[in-house]
Amino acid sequence: MHDLAARAAHWGVERAFTDALGHHREVEPEALARILNALAASGEDSAAAPRTIWRGEDRTPLILSADTVRWRLRDEDTRIVAEGAGEGGQEDIAGRLPNLPSGIYRLESVDAGGTAHRVSDLIIAPRQTYQPDEATAARTWILAVQLYAVRSQRNWGHGDFTDLRVLLRLAAKAGAAGIGLNPLHALFDNRAEQASPYSPNSRLFLNPLYIDVEAVPEFPGIPSAGVGSQIEAARRAHFVAYAEVAAAKTAGLRLAYSRFRDTADTERRDDFERFRQERGGALQAFAAFEVLRRRFDTVWWEWPEHYRRPSASLFDEVRAQSPDDYGYYAYVQWIADRQLRACRDEARRLGLPIGLYMDLAVGADPGGADAWSDQTAVVPQMEVGAPPDALNTAGQAWGLAAFNPRALAATGFAPFVRVLRAVMRHAGAIRLDHVLGLNRLYLIPLGLGAAQGAYIRFPLQELLAVTALESERNRCVVIGEDLGTVPDDLRGTLADWGLWSYLVLIFERGHDGGFRSPQDYRRNALVTFSTHDLPSFAGWIAGHDLEAKRNLGLDPGESFAARSHAWNELRAALGRAGIDASGERPALIDVIRYLARTPSRLLSVAIEDVLGVMDQPNVPGTILEHPNWRRRLPIDIEALEEHGGFRSLADMLRQEGRAFTSAGPLSAV
């Protein structure tokens, strides 16, 4: 098909859209052609079989092809779970299947010649995602933390999993339901200054910089590792000294692995082997990729041809060529996983209703392990982004690879399932960053501007069914970050599947600029004042973010006069809610009280807001111009429990009925 319109319809690419500013935009022919060519690069053979969803008790027809002699149904492990003879014609076999657990199945038809054909994919899903028990998680709150930013008297200049356990205990004392976290995905630890947690090397594995090296049984100690001076320098640094932290932790973990390899006892070796079995081929691919990217020191599509395509035989070859390195990368992931699991176990011991609330980035770096491992599922030479909106008037290009929806469906959604399982592995709740991507993603051809992209449609119902399936399996709440250019009725569809909404007070305003009343907020939702990409409370209330953006040469999307109007509108909203905001500008505790009075089931309070931090963690549209993902908290977490603002906040939230326990003052637990 050479006609662009016909090709766009075939591949599900929208040739026009309305952006968040209300502007109608036609996709430029050059950009459209490049997107279509990239989608077609995986070939027509990636076309998926028809898909059937059985949701809850619903049982829609499951039709065989007319030439079926025999049929069989396979589960996700390709085991045959049902089979029978064809009875001629296009038969509906839904009533002939046994009761099957939720899962993803493949229906095959065998013709008279003995050839098997894939007839349909069957997704058996719960009616909704997992919903927590009302008695323990009716209206609670969490403390949101950028874990890398945490200062403590014992960490190495970068927050770690031992700090997270301390935070969980502090959350329990404060009546919080858990701790909210930035993405913990694996980055590029030998290029540690590339610090954005939203541009991961892999969403399937963890960033080793979060490992508490001193808690690793095989670690011989700081003096033996010779990293004392690096650690002290990192502890003194104003910003996270990523290069120094990475160098020190790598040196310590290398020593630990060497001792493990030579002296580990049976219990430790057996647990390592269990982890390797748990993570299977994904771990093999990741370890091989980590070896190869250091060997060739360039992006994977420029490697020697032999190494560009992953395979089991290639993994074995890399392991044979570099056994110590290959084993080391698997070992590091084992250590990270077990330390994070210990945090989950601590949360359960404490009885926290949520425990760990974790973030899933919308995509991965195109030069990373995930893109190399799942090449047929990724759209080449494209990056995910967003069209222009009020806060980012030039649009956004995120430098992330996107799944090809047709190839994704052809695999039975396996790459998406793997990502969900990885992030839900130890979480009580997850946030799907840019959940709009389950419906459509904005793709930008590499080299073009962020305003020159187009939307590509995804199989929304199937992705939601898979999300509900994995959510129920893992007993994990799913929150969809539904900000930005939202198509009509999408929020209703997400809510119908049980995904909680993500409500940010800064945006919860009417056409007249007034803030919505607490009772108007949705119940199944997380509410918060701001996000990591938006101003902190202290920054917003001082107008600091507007000045900072102007100094960076960015359009802040808001004037000082408009901000002053927003302050007044917020004060008025507080007054209507019966909250006495007597100061010149609203105070944090009053604004959080306002959010606490919403019916929304989860309230997130950023630790930066509690501590009065002016700068936001990330300013979209900047890389080196602003210290994104580098700011450390102003105090050690050992001092947080006695921090007056934190204690007052915890007591207020208990008074407002947000605490999961009636334990009394913070110091009483």
Side-chain angles (χ1 to χ4, degrees), residues 547-597:
E547 183 178 357
K549 278 193 171 184
R550 287 197 175 93
N551 290 339
L552 292 167
L554 300 174
D555 181 354
E558 185 180 10
S559 67
F560 279 103
R563 179 62 59 82
S564 179
H565 178 67
W567 296 329
N568 292 332
E569 288 291 344
L570 184 54
R571 285 187 63 197
L574 294 173
R576 289 192 299 271
I579 299 171
D580 180 18
S582 56
E584 180 183 354
R585 294 175 185 172
L588 174 68
I589 196 164
D590 295 327
V591 172
I592 300 302
R593 186 186 298 274
Y594 183 84
L595 290 175
R597 292 183 178 179

Side-chain angles (χ1 to χ4, degrees), residues 32 103 164 217 219 222 237 249 331 362 427 490 501 514 533 573 581 587 614 646:
L32 183 59
L164 180 53
F219 179 60
I222 291 173
K249 294 206 171 190
Y331 170 84
V362 68
L490 178 59
S501 195
D533 286 337
M614 277 282 185
F646 183 66

Side-chain angles (χ1 to χ4, degrees), residues 490-511:
L490 178 59
R491 286 194 175 98
T493 300
L494 297 175
D496 183 55
W497 277 97
L499 276 72
W500 293 11
S501 195
Y502 188 76
L503 305 180
V504 179
L505 182 140
I506 288 176
F507 296 142
E508 293 300 310
R509 303 173 69 179
H511 294 298

Side-chain angles (χ1 to χ4, degrees), residues 311-468:
S311 66
S313 60
L314 179 61
F315 304 155
D316 290 341
E317 177 185 328
V318 174
R319 185 176 186 176
Q321 292 171 343
S322 306
D324 285 349
D325 287 340
Y326 184 97
Y328 167 75
Y329 296 119
Y331 170 84
V332 166
Q333 287 303 316
W334 171 55
I335 294 296
D337 179 84
R338 292 326 194 217
Q339 288 195 1
L340 183 56
R341 186 178 70 175
C343 295
R344 179 204 66 188
D345 293 345
E346 181 77 356
R348 290 177 177 176
R349 184 188 70 79
L350 294 165
L352 300 181
I354 296 296
L356 301 179
Y357 162 67
M358 299 174 69
D359 214 347
L360 174 60
V362 68
D365 190 300
D370 287 357
W372 178 72
S373 301
D374 270 323
Q375 291 174 42
T376 58
V378 171
V379 186
Q381 300 301 306
M382 295 287 133
E383 61 179 319
V384 181
D389 59 29
L391 290 177
N392 299 282
T393 54
Q396 299 178 65
W398 299 332
L400 301 174
F403 285 132
N404 182 329
R406 183 168 299 218
L408 190 64
T411 64
F413 303 98
F416 182 61
V417 169
R418 285 194 291 271
V419 168
L420 287 176
R421 288 178 180 172
V423 75
M424 290 179 177
R425 185 173 169 85
H426 302 309
I430 67 167
R431 188 191 83 139
L432 297 182
D433 185 34
H434 196 64
V435 74
L436 313 183
L438 299 185
N439 179 58
R440 63 179 189 175
L441 270 180
Y442 186 74
L443 295 188
I444 307 159
L446 291 181
L448 296 186
Q452 295 174 283
Y455 280 104
I456 175 174
R457 292 190 293 274
F458 277 72
L460 175 64
Q461 293 296 329
E462 289 88 338
L463 291 171
L464 289 172
V466 169
T467 301

Side-chain angles (χ1 to χ4, degrees), residues 38-71:
L39 289 169
S42 57
E44 288 290 334
D45 59 352
S46 68
R51 298 178 295 278
T52 302
I53 299 173
W54 287 359
R55 182 180 174 196
E57 300 303 316
D58 295 344
R59 293 292 183 267
T60 53
L62 190 61
I63 306 298
L64 290 174
S65 55
D67 61 349
T68 300
V69 174
R70 289 195 62 79
W71 59 268

